[in-house]
Amino acid sequence: MLRTRLATAALAIPLLVWLIAWNPWSLFTWLVTAAALVGVGEYFTMAFPGDPVERAFGIVAGALVVVAMVVPSTRRSRWRSRVW
């Protein structure tokens, strides 16, 4: 068991360091987005195992929130322009 964990860490840690430090920012963003979407799907599958309508609504709403955080905004808000 420990040998498997160490082997996984030996492969995963250099890959993550390369991904975060030396790779294009967009690839890291896409991977984090994919992980967040998988997490949203898993959460709502566990939270609403018997109600497919609420589960679907939660997954769609969660996906919209994740995508809204990832998509860059071209419009500058009035509040930010006054504060900074």
Side-chain angles (χ1 to χ4, degrees):
M1 181 98 146
L2 180 62
R3 204 175 275 176
T4 306
R5 288 184 181 182
L6 290 174
T8 302
L11 292 173
I13 290 174
L15 181 64
L16 285 173
V17 169
W18 173 77
L19 181 68
I20 293 169
W22 292 292
N23 214 12
W25 186 250
S26 62
L27 181 61
F28 178 70
T29 303
W30 281 107
L31 287 174
V32 169
T33 302
L37 290 174
V38 167
V40 164
E42 287 183 8
Y43 171 74
F44 282 107
T45 300
M46 288 186 298
F48 302 108
D51 194 359
V53 174
E54 287 188 18
R55 181 179 9 177
F57 178 76
I59 290 172
V60 169
L64 287 174
V65 169
V66 170
V67 170
M69 287 190 281
V70 171
V71 174
S73 175
T74 57
R75 190 178 75 130
R76 188 174 176 143
S77 69
R78 292 182 193 171
W79 184 79
R80 281 185 76 188
S81 63
R82 289 182 191 158
V83 174
W84 286 290

